[in-house]
Amino acid sequence: DDNTADAVDEEAEGAGEARRERRGRPGQAPAGEIRRASIAINVALQLLCAVALFYLINYLSMRHYHRSDLSLAKKYSLSSDTEAYLERLDEKVNITMAFLSGSKIRSQLESLLEEYERLAGGQIIFEEFDPSRDKTRAYELADRTGMAIDQNAVFIDICGKVKRVTEREMLEENGAIFAGEAAITSAMFAATEGRPKTVYLIAGKGRLREANDRTALEELIDLSQRQFFKLEEITLGNVTQVPADADALLLINPESGFSPEEMEVLTDYWENARGSLVLLLNPSVEMPNLTPFLRERGVDVLNRYRVLFSETTGIGGTQKRYAVQAKFLPGSPITSGDIGAITTFGGQTCPLAVQENDTTLAARGIVAKPLLEADPKFWGDLAHTEASPTLDAADLKPPIYVAASIEKGGSSDPIAKLDSSRLVVVGNPTLLDPDHMSRRNAQFVVNSLNWTLDREERIDIMPKPARNFRIDTAPGKYRNLFMIVVILLPGVAFCFAVFVWSARRN
């Protein structure tokens, strides 16, 4: 009928309009069809921008970048003194690292040597290889240096002078301390200085203590090899003057005093030459000739007293504590890297009276400074032989100084280099004893020697702890951890990816 015909016509007309809408206008893509050409151009532009951005980032990072050491121990950084030395380096240096891949310090040492190369401004060329894998390079290095490649080592070549630093020399305290920077920088100094400094150990005053089958002398020899100075012995009673090649004198734990003749030799060395002295004094030994010498120069050794404090324990009642906890003070290059840090002196210690900022001494060109101060709980006890000492009116009250320095003829300007006589005195003789020596105590002795030797650039190149972390788990917990990390987490990620893919397809 007519109504049916009209409905059919309207349906046909609607279908035609729908087809026309899908086709669109002439020159346009039909609605609902993918505009492949536009998408291809869009993707091509994105890829082009990504490639350009990639090369731009690499170009900028290669020429303008900054390294940051985020490790807790700062084990990938160099000390400010090493940085200053590298900035002044005016000779080409070739550093070759021949280390097996299995070495536990290989990666840390490689990062450290890369930092040397970066800070040297092109003066250092660094390369590394595994001698077990690249035997040709190992033979070439052995021929060039004349040294055997029989252990992990770093070879430093400066103008034909080659120094070798082995892995053992970079580790201290049975591998717990990484001293790579100190060893490497010391070897560089050794190659550039030519002649090692000569330090004379004053002998004939007593025997150095022995503990754990080692003596303080053996510890000192190890330090001398690492710090590039030659250790000799001298008996002042057998000479009329200190040898001309003596760069410093060292006295450790004297058990007898100096005779007038010996003090005359010592005074002549201090007054008429660039005298350098480091004294680790025994508080129980009277030295009637040395004490006035030090007092006239600003430091009085008060060995009538002992630095101690008493505490009450639950077992033994009141007990005396002689092991002094001392703080490094500011104002001296010797302590500049440890200001505020705490170290412990073993055995007994006597206090030192320091005439700081004394105008009479200043008129003579002498400056005395305290270096270490005992913790405020310690005092200088006069009746220290008592079973239960207490702080009395006759005792010395804080601050108590246990180490001090004296300089004669120096300058307050660090840039001005003037020859001066320098002396460091410590009221404790055990700093290098094997049973009392700590890393800070040994470094303090080394810093004192380097300061008296006028080698401030070597001060405070501190070895860094090489911390190894290991997690021990029971087999069952390890199996659960394996299931979570290897199976569960990747499985969840895979299922989520399938869900996203399916949603996008629909």
Side-chain angles (χ1 to χ4, degrees):
D1 56 7
D2 293 339
N3 293 332
T4 304
D6 292 340
V8 171
D9 291 340
E10 289 177 359
E11 184 179 353
E13 184 176 355
E17 289 179 358
R19 285 194 296 271
R20 285 193 296 273
E21 288 179 0
R22 285 196 297 269
R23 291 193 188 97
R25 297 177 182 177
Q28 289 184 342
E33 293 185 9
I34 300 175
R35 297 188 177 102
R36 298 186 182 279
S38 300
I39 293 176
I41 294 174
N42 189 16
V43 171
L45 288 175
Q46 291 184 39
L47 289 174
L48 182 62
C49 291
V51 172
L53 184 61
F54 173 78
Y55 278 103
L56 181 61
I57 290 174
N58 279 273
Y59 176 82
L60 292 175
S61 65
M62 184 174 63
R63 287 165 174 75
H64 307 282
Y65 66 94
H66 177 72
R67 287 172 55 126
S68 296
D69 186 358
L70 303 180
S71 63
L72 181 63
K74 297 298 179 183
K75 61 183 181 180
Y76 302 107
S77 302
L78 299 179
S79 67
S80 58
D81 299 284
T82 298
E83 292 181 9
Y85 167 69
L86 294 177
E87 290 175 359
R88 300 193 304 267
L89 194 63
D90 55 1
E91 297 174 295
K92 287 292 183 180
V93 181
N94 290 288
I95 300 180
T96 304
M97 173 180 165
F99 262 64
L100 299 176
S101 301
S103 171
K104 68 177 183 179
I105 66 169
R106 179 186 173 89
S107 60
Q108 182 176 351
L109 180 60
E110 183 177 356
S111 298
L112 192 71
L113 292 176
E114 288 175 352
E115 189 74 356
Y116 272 85
E117 183 179 35
R118 183 182 71 86
L119 294 174
Q123 293 296 102
I124 291 180
I125 299 174
F126 167 61
E127 58 181 359
E128 58 87 19
F129 70 96
D130 185 339
S132 66
R133 297 181 179 180
D134 196 341
K135 296 187 180 298
T136 301
R137 291 184 66 182
Y139 290 136
E140 291 176 353
L141 181 63
D143 292 339
R144 177 163 56 88
T145 61
M147 301 178 182
I149 315 297
D150 54 357
Q151 57 182 312
N152 292 335
V154 173
F155 296 84
I156 300 172
D157 185 349
I158 303 179
C159 299
K161 298 179 180 178
V162 181
K163 296 293 180 182
R164 185 179 75 161
V165 183
T166 64
E167 181 178 21
R168 180 180 175 277
E169 294 172 337
M170 301 181 202
L171 295 173
E172 296 180 359
E173 298 185 12
N174 297 322
I177 300 296
F178 176 66
E181 180 185 352
I184 296 297
T185 306
S186 179
M188 293 179 67
F189 275 114
T192 54
E193 284 187 357
R195 184 186 73 86
K197 299 288 187 179
T198 303
V199 176
Y200 278 87
L201 179 65
I202 299 177
K205 295 301 172 185
R207 184 174 59 87
L208 298 181
R209 290 184 67 251
E210 181 177 353
N212 303 325
D213 297 326
R214 285 182 66 83
T215 65
L217 180 58
E218 292 175 297
E219 301 291 350
L220 187 59
I221 291 174
D222 287 347
L223 290 174
S224 70
Q225 294 173 348
R226 206 173 302 137
Q227 291 292 321
F228 191 57
F229 64 85
K230 184 171 62 173
L231 189 65
E232 301 284 353
E233 287 191 357
I234 183 175
T235 302
L236 295 181
N238 297 336
V239 297
T240 57
Q241 63 179 12
V242 175
D245 65 338
D247 296 297
L249 298 182
L250 176 62
L251 177 66
I252 301 177
N253 192 27
E255 295 181 352
S256 62
F258 290 107
S259 67
E261 293 75 18
E262 291 174 327
M263 280 306 306
E264 185 177 347
V265 173
L266 201 63
T267 304
D268 182 68
Y269 170 70
W270 168 268
E271 295 292 345
N272 301 327
R274 187 194 161 279
S276 301
L277 300 168
V278 177
L279 311 175
L280 308 183
L281 300 181
N282 186 342
S284 62
V285 175
E286 294 286 343
M287 305 193 75
N289 293 317
L290 178 64
T291 301
F293 170 86
L294 297 175
R295 187 185 304 120
E296 292 173 4
R297 288 154 183 82
V299 176
D300 194 6
V301 181
L302 306 175
N303 59 354
R304 296 176 299 159
Y305 300 85
R306 294 293 182 274
V307 181
L308 54 76
F309 80 101
S310 60
E311 63 177 352
T312 302
T313 62
I315 301 175
T318 303
Q319 296 185 2
K320 294 182 287 187
R321 301 295 184 188
Y322 285 105
V324 178
Q325 297 171 352
K327 178 177 67 175
F328 289 88
L329 299 176
S332 172
I334 300 173
T335 58
S336 59
D338 287 320
I339 296 175
I342 303 296
T343 190
T344 301
F345 288 177
Q348 295 188 6
T349 306
C350 67
L352 305 176
V354 183
Q355 301 175 37
E356 191 176 10
N357 301 321
D358 187 275
T359 55
T360 304
L361 292 176
R364 297 164 51 197
I366 297 176
V367 177
K369 293 181 180 180
L371 299 178
L372 282 93
E373 177 186 343
D375 188 273
K377 66 185 176 184
F378 289 86
W379 70 83
D381 198 273
L382 182 61
H384 55 86
T385 57
E386 294 178 349
S388 301
T390 57
L391 180 59
D392 302 322
D395 295 335
L396 298 178
K397 300 173 181 60
I400 303 295
Y401 301 126
V402 295
S405 66
I406 302 172
E407 183 173 17
K408 176 178 179 293
S411 171
S412 59
D413 185 357
I415 299 178
K417 286 288 187 180
L418 300 178
D419 287 339
S420 61
S421 295
R422 295 177 173 182
L423 184 151
V424 175
V425 56
V426 184
N428 184 290
T430 67
L431 273 65
L432 295 180
D433 287 355
D435 54 343
H436 292 131
M437 189 180 74
S438 66
R439 184 169 61 92
R440 288 198 186 278
N441 288 348
Q443 190 66 35
F444 176 72
V445 175
V446 169
N447 287 352
S448 299
L449 282 171
N450 283 329
W451 179 71
T452 60
L453 292 170
D454 196 21
R455 297 198 301 187
E456 282 92 342
E457 66 275 4
R458 288 202 179 198
I459 291 177
D460 284 322
I461 303 177
M462 296 290 291
K464 302 175 177 64
R467 296 183 173 93
N468 296 317
F469 298 96
R470 179 179 176 180
I471 300 177
D472 294 320
T473 59
K477 293 183 178 180
Y478 179 79
R479 186 165 48 251
N480 294 338
L481 184 64
F482 175 83
M483 296 293 293
I484 292 173
V485 174
V486 178
I487 297 178
L488 180 60
L489 293 181
V492 170
F494 177 76
C495 292
F496 182 74
V498 171
F499 170 76
V500 173
W501 173 79
S502 177
R504 290 175 64 89
R505 292 289 296 174
N506 293 333

